[in-house]
Every structure is written in C-alpha cells, then in structure tokens.
Amino acid sequence: MSLRERDKKHLWHPLKQHQTHPESLAIVKAKGCLLTDEDGNEYIDAISSWYTCMFGHCNDYIVDKVSQQMRQLDQIMFSDFTHEPAVKLSEELIKILPQGQTKIFFNDNGSTAVEAGIKMTLQYYYNLDEKRSVFIAFENGFHGDTFGAMSVSGLSVYNGPFEEFLIDVKRIPTPDGTNHLSILKQLETYTKDFDIAGFIYEPLVQGAAGMKIHNAEGLNTILKFCKDNHILTIADEVMTGFGKTGKHFASDYIETKPDIICLSKALTAGLVPMAITSCTQNIYDAFLSKEMAKGFFHCHTYSANPIACSAAIATVELLTSNDIQDNISSISKSHQHFSERISKHPKVKSTRHIGVIFALDLDINVPRYGDLREKLLKFFMDNGVFLRPLGNTIYIQPPYVISESELEKVYSTIEAALNTL
C-alpha cells in the first residue's frame, strides 16, 4: 500500500473535512525550498510550510547545531532546572526583540504562546487585586485553537461550535489610515462599560484572514490609548516574527511597543516545535510574592527543550546574518515587481506586500473552502508549486533561501492559474 492509502486507515488531519477530501499527499523528503512526494514529484514550498521553514527545509546549519545538542542534553524538566541552550537563547532573543521585553517564558506552539499571554494578562490584574476579564481584539483576527486563543480569534469558521464557552471579547476593525478616530471612540466606550484587561493583535498583517495588511500609525494610536488606560497589549508575532515583514518583528515598525509578545513558527525554523511568550519587567514583577499562588502556574512538559532551544539559537544567528538580510530584501523587491505586473490582470482585484509576504485578492467571490479554491490548489500542485489559497486570496511567503528561478516559477504559475479562471 502507498503512504497515502495507509494514511487513511488511522489518521485524522487538521482543517480537513475527510468526507469530501479523504486524500492527503505523502511527502517523503524536504530540502531547501523543495518538497518531494512518494512518487518522486517535486513542489516548491512557496508558503514555507505554514510560515515555519523560513530558512529552508533541513537547513544544514540548523541541523548540525541540533545534532550536536542531541548528543549533549536531550530533555530536562524546566521547573527545577536550567541549561545553556535556554539561557543562551534568552540572551540572544532579548537583543533583537522590541524594546522593553526582558523575560522569556517557554511554550510548545503558537496557540499555547497566546494562551500563556492571555493568562499572564488576567493574572497580572488578579495579583494586583483588580477585576479585569474582558479583552479587545481585531475583527477577523486569528490567534490559535486552544480555548483562550480561540476566544480572541474572530474567524467564525474555526469557533462556531464553541462560542458559548469562550471568554468575553470586544472587537474593533483594523486601522486603515482613515478610521483611527472612530476606533478610538469605540475603545473609549469599551473602557467605560467593561473591565478591559488586554488588547491582543496581529501587528500589521492578519495571516489567516488573508494576509490583510493594516496601517502602522493607526495601530500605534490604538496601542498608545491602551497604554494610557492601563490595558496590557499582546502582540501575536507567531506568524509575523523573525523577518517576514522585512524587519525582525512587525512590532519594529510601530513606535509604541507591546507588553507581551507571542512567538513560534519560524522561531525554530520548522525543525522542532517550540514557542515563547515574552514580557516586560513590570508584568514579571506582578507575579513576585511570598504567596505561592501569585506565581505563574502554567507549564508544558517540553518547556525550553534543549534541542528546540538550540534550533532557535541557530535561527537567530541566521536571521541576523548579512546573507539572510540581503535575501529578504531581494525577495521583497521581486514581490514589488510581480505586484506591478500581476495587478493589471483582469481577475486581480488588489495586491499587497510587505517583506517576503505577498498577497493578491481575486476579483471573484470565493468561499474560504469552496470548489474554486480546490481547483486552484490542484492547479498549483499539478504545476509543482505548493500554494494554499485563503478564500479569494492567493499569497506567497517563501523561504528566505528561495532562488530567483524558483520564485519566478511561483509567479508564473500564479499567472497561469489566473488565466484558467
């Protein structure tokens, strides 16, 4: 039996309706930007496997660092012990994180990084004897699938069966450069009528919503309002972090910095799972007490796994290298040129790009999981390119190591796909 057939016997895949889509493509190898299936077909991974493998699959530098660590220390509980990879990673991350971040808390994926950020926020006020339990979040945001993260997410396709179990969240539109005054009025009303604990946001780019890009100055206005009203701010940089927007973090574009930052995905370059929730000294200090219960009782078995930490250290080293920074700049320029040429296509409604992220909206009404999306997905794969449309949005987020010829193949495949519509 093929891997594909064996898969169907026991496996339950995420974000999939198995009744209508029972097949899953079996990948047996990945290197650089290429995925190879069990039949020997190759595909350019143009979305870096959900924005994780930004330095290419099985990157030799990262693999070597992890291999060395595996021979030294594999796993140790982090409640009672510490180790060199965790300490080293904290030192290197603090150097590049947005100003004000001083403490690193380890998790195991993006959802749990957000979960920890939400719990930190709620307990921060609890420890200060303030009753605050309501969050503010953007419309159509996405922050993960655990209950706290799901609560602050705004995409109903993910949340429908669980709405009555979620925490209280008030939503605001993303700033577009013209609506920040009306958003401020909403915020003033919310702070008057509710006990607002925190504001969680995807800085500049809403990933799952279709790589929607919002206005940095407007976001800064919102963050400043939150600071002035003692509302903690949580930047969900799980998708945007580690160079994808052209800066190390999307928050680097914004003057007012967050109190809490959530990191995962490219943190370990897709090699092993890990996540981090960082915070300011002020938040950390609120948990210091002679009362044991005021500590942060939140833990994951694999918190600060030494192997994952070694991968993340290598990631930071590559991210800050001249070669990778030059590659990011080059991809961004290529996206600009492609935007100019594809925006004239009659099936294209609009385009946008920032850093290595490029997106176009089709001038067609496409359901998020409709037949046209499946047709596009099949066309891309049949032509050796892995792209995963989000509704009527086709987006690219390639590894930083993609070659000019590989990137051009991605572009030309998108053009060819549009000509079939």
Side-chain angles (χ1 to χ4, degrees):
M1 294 176 67
S2 66
L3 276 176
R4 183 180 300 187
E5 290 300 317
R6 289 166 57 200
D7 172 278
K8 289 190 287 187
K9 291 181 66 177
H10 302 298
L11 295 181
W12 189 345
H13 290 263
L15 302 182
K16 189 180 184 76
Q17 176 47 264
H18 283 259
Q19 179 68 35
T20 55
H21 296 85
E23 298 290 334
S24 295
L25 184 64
I27 299 298
V28 298
K29 179 183 176 182
K31 185 65 177 177
C33 297
L34 296 180
L35 308 173
T36 306
D37 70 17
E38 63 180 331
D39 297 320
N41 301 308
E42 291 185 337
Y43 312 89
I44 297 172
D45 187 356
I47 63 168
S48 304
S49 289
W50 264 343
Y51 341 130
T52 56
C53 301
M54 299 308 300
F55 302 90
H57 290 273
C58 299
N59 182 287
D60 290 339
Y61 184 79
I62 300 174
V63 169
D64 287 346
K65 293 291 186 180
V66 168
S67 178
Q68 293 171 29
Q69 182 58 50
M70 291 174 73
R71 296 181 179 90
Q72 178 74 25
L73 177 64
D74 52 358
Q75 164 64 9
I76 189 74
M77 62 181 294
F78 203 59
S79 179
D80 298 305
F81 299 100
T82 192
H83 51 78
E84 172 64 22
V87 174
K88 175 71 171 175
L89 177 57
S90 70
E91 293 168 343
E92 297 306 309
L93 273 178
I94 293 300
K95 291 177 185 176
I96 66 170
L97 280 169
Q99 186 178 5
Q101 299 296 296
T102 63
K103 295 294 180 179
I104 300 293
F105 186 88
F106 287 97
N107 310 285
D108 58 8
N109 64 68
S111 295
T112 56
V114 170
E115 205 79 11
I118 290 171
K119 289 177 69 176
M120 281 180 186
T121 300
L122 293 172
Q123 190 176 343
Y124 171 86
Y125 289 108
Y126 178 87
N127 285 358
L128 296 179
D129 294 322
E130 290 188 45
K131 180 176 172 52
R132 298 199 185 202
S133 58
V134 180
F135 278 83
I136 294 170
F138 282 140
E139 297 168 354
N140 298 316
F142 180 74
H143 300 284
D145 293 318
T146 52
F147 264 84
M150 185 169 53
S151 293
V152 293
S153 297
L155 291 171
S156 60
V157 66
Y158 297 99
N159 300 355
F162 315 105
E163 290 286 354
E164 62 182 290
F165 307 106
L166 306 181
I167 60 178
D168 194 3
V169 178
K170 306 303 174 187
R171 303 207 176 274
I172 58 174
T174 55
D176 61 13
T178 65
N179 62 350
H180 62 279
L181 292 180
S182 63
I183 294 174
L184 286 179
K185 289 182 180 179
Q186 273 187 272
L187 291 172
E188 289 170 357
T189 300
Y190 286 155
T191 54
K192 179 181 178 182
D193 296 343
F194 305 100
D195 297 316
I196 305 297
F199 167 53
I200 185 167
Y201 59 102
E202 297 163 272
L204 293 191
V205 187
Q206 289 186 299
M211 300 298 160
K212 305 298 185 188
I213 300 174
H214 49 269
N215 179 263
E217 291 183 9
L219 178 55
N220 189 68
T221 300
I222 295 170
L223 294 175
K224 190 174 185 305
F225 176 91
C226 291
K227 296 282 187 183
D228 292 343
N229 287 272
H230 196 44
I231 296 169
L232 295 187
T233 54
I234 307 173
D236 179 353
E237 295 246 18
V238 169
M239 191 281 285
T240 53
F242 298 98
K244 300 188 193 82
T245 62
K247 294 182 182 287
H248 291 340
F249 301 96
S251 296
D252 292 333
Y253 286 95
I254 303 156
E255 180 183 356
T256 305
K257 304 305 180 186
D259 300 296
I260 295 171
I261 300 177
C262 305
L263 305 169
S264 190
K265 291 194 182 291
L267 169 65
T268 56
L271 200 67
V272 284
M274 190 171 75
I276 279 172
T277 308
S278 67
C279 70
T280 62
Q281 188 69 37
N282 175 60
I283 291 175
Y284 176 81
D285 288 345
F287 290 77
L288 300 178
S289 172
K290 293 182 179 179
E291 298 178 44
M292 190 69 170
K294 285 194 173 182
F296 191 46
F297 277 73
H298 180 98
C299 181
H300 300 277
T301 301
Y302 285 92
S303 291
N305 171 261
I307 295 169
C309 288
S310 67
I313 294 168
T315 291
V316 174
E317 291 170 350
L318 288 177
L319 175 67
T320 55
S321 70
N322 290 334
D323 285 348
I324 291 299
Q325 288 300 308
D326 288 345
N327 288 358
I328 290 172
S329 178
S330 177
I331 294 169
S332 182
K333 290 175 183 176
S334 294
H335 283 348
Q336 173 64 37
H337 295 319
F338 180 57
S339 176
E340 291 169 359
R341 101 188 193 207
I342 198 67
S343 61
K344 300 167 186 171
H345 195 285
K347 295 294 173 58
V348 173
K349 182 179 181 180
S350 62
T351 66
R352 54 194 171 275
H353 58 93
I354 181 172
V356 303
I357 301 169
F358 173 89
L360 67 83
D361 290 336
L362 298 171
D363 197 12
I364 305 171
N365 186 20
V366 182
R368 189 175 183 87
Y369 295 105
D371 291 339
L372 182 55
R373 175 190 178 274
E374 296 304 317
K375 176 185 175 182
L376 285 169
L377 181 57
K378 184 178 186 303
F379 183 93
F380 294 141
M381 297 299 285
D382 287 347
N383 285 273
V385 176
F386 177 40
L387 289 166
R388 197 171 186 273
L390 294 166
N392 74 332
T393 301
I394 299 172
Y395 73 94
I396 309 168
Q397 196 173 135
Y400 303 141
V401 296
I402 194 168
S403 67
E404 290 184 12
S405 61
E406 288 171 330
L407 192 53
E408 178 53 37
K409 181 176 180 180
V410 175
Y411 294 153
S412 61
T413 301
I414 291 174
E415 287 178 310
L418 297 187
N419 291 335
T420 68
L421 300 180

